[in-house]
Amino acid sequence: MKVIRTIKQMRDELRSFRKLHPEGSVGFVPTMGYLHEGHESLLRAARNECDLAVASIFVNPLQFGPNEDYEQYPRDEQRDLAVCERVGIDLVFKPEPSEMYPKPMLTKVTVDQVSAGLCGANRPGHFDGVCTVVAKLFHIIQPDQAYFGMKDAQQVAVIMQMVEDLNMPVNIIPCPTVREPDGLALSSRNVYLTAEERQQAPVLYRAL
Ligand code: PAF
C-alpha cells in the first residue's frame, strides 16, 4: 500500500496504473478518516469489486461551519492506515489542507434543492463544501466507481445529483449503514457522546 500526499504523485500513480491496465477499474472511497466498521465495509467493497482500490483521508475544512468541530474532529492517521492496509487498499491519498487548497477557493459546487432541508437546513454551506471537495477528488483520482455510506443518505442523494448534472464519468455505489448491536449507526462522531447520550441514542433507530 502506498500513502500519497500530493496531487501530482497521485496523478502519476494513476497514470502508471492506466498504462499497465488500460481496461482496469479504479474504485474510490472518500473518507475523513477515524475509520470504523462502516468505512471498512466501503473499503472492502471497493477492494472486491475493482482492480485498483483507492481511499482518501482528508478532514475537509470547507464542509465545516465556523462554529462546527473542524479542529476537534477525531484524527488517528496510524490506525487509519493500518485499517486500509488490512483491507488491501492499494493507494491512500492523504493530502494536507494546503495541498488541496493552496489558495482561497473562488469556485464552489452547489447542488440546489436536494441540499435544502434535513441536514442542509441546519448546516448552511455544508453540502457546497462536500460537493466541492468530492468534485476535486473525482478530478484527481478519476475513479470508475465511488462508494458512499447510506448513513449519510442526503449526502448520497446530493452527490448522485452532482454526478448526473455535471456528467461526471463515475458510478456512485451506495452501501448499507453498519450499526452497533443496539442499532446505533457507526459514526466517527459517536466518540462525542457521553455515556448517557450513548444509552439514549439507539432510540433513533427504534423510532425509524
Ligand atoms: O462522508 C464524509 O466523510 C465526507 O463528507 C466526504 C464524502 C469524505 C467528503 O469530505
Side-chain angles (χ1 to χ4, degrees):
M1 183 179 86
K2 287 189 183 166
V3 181
I4 293 171
R5 298 188 190 267
T6 68
I7 294 168
K8 181 183 176 315
Q9 203 189 342
M10 192 73 216
R11 290 208 161 119
D12 290 346
E13 287 291 339
L14 289 159
R15 208 171 295 120
S16 310
F17 171 78
R18 296 253 182 236
K19 207 166 162 190
L20 284 172
H21 310 277
E23 302 297 318
S25 56
V26 176
F28 174 47
V29 182
T31 81
M32 297 207 299
Y34 214 67
L35 303 178
H36 50 65
E37 259 297 317
H39 295 111
E40 267 196 63
S41 71
L42 308 179
L43 297 168
R44 273 196 302 273
R47 174 62 294 159
N48 293 340
E49 294 171 16
C50 301
D51 298 304
L52 187 79
V54 183
S56 64
I57 298 173
F58 179 61
V59 184
N60 171 37
L62 288 192
Q63 69 190 73
F64 289 78
N67 298 318
E68 293 187 16
D69 57 343
Y70 174 66
E71 297 297 340
Q72 296 80 41
Y73 195 84
R75 292 161 171 88
D76 190 340
E77 173 169 335
Q78 276 197 346
R79 198 174 124 258
D80 288 346
L81 294 181
V83 169
C84 292
E85 178 101 59
R86 175 158 46 79
V87 173
I89 295 301
D90 299 300
L91 304 177
V92 176
F93 184 47
K94 175 90 183 50
E96 290 299 316
S98 56
E99 177 70 10
M100 289 296 277
Y101 306 119
K103 293 187 273 183
M105 289 280 287
L106 302 182
T107 303
K108 70 178 172 191
V109 181
T110 299
V111 174
D112 277 339
Q113 294 184 22
V114 190
S115 309
L118 300 172
C119 200
N122 297 317
R123 302 185 71 188
H126 168 67
F127 285 116
D128 289 357
V130 170
C131 288
T132 303
V133 80
V134 171
K136 271 171 84 81
L137 291 167
F138 283 177
H139 283 302
I140 295 164
I141 291 156
Q142 304 195 353
D144 299 288
Q145 315 227 107
Y147 297 80
F148 290 84
M150 281 301 294
K151 171 177 75 67
D152 299 309
Q154 190 178 15
Q155 172 170 275
V156 175
V158 167
I159 298 289
M160 283 179 139
Q161 188 71 45
M162 173 184 80
V163 163
E164 186 183 336
D165 286 350
L166 298 180
N167 302 94
M168 293 180 171
V170 51
N171 192 15
I172 302 300
I173 316 281
C175 299
T177 304
V178 179
R179 296 180 180 279
E180 298 280 7
D182 64 4
L184 178 66
L186 297 191
S187 164
S188 307
R189 286 189 170 104
N190 286 352
V191 293
Y192 296 159
L193 298 174
T194 63
E196 196 187 346
E197 287 164 346
R198 174 64 191 84
Q199 250 196 337
Q200 292 165 349
V203 77
L204 294 171
Y205 178 59
R206 291 202 296 275
L208 284 171

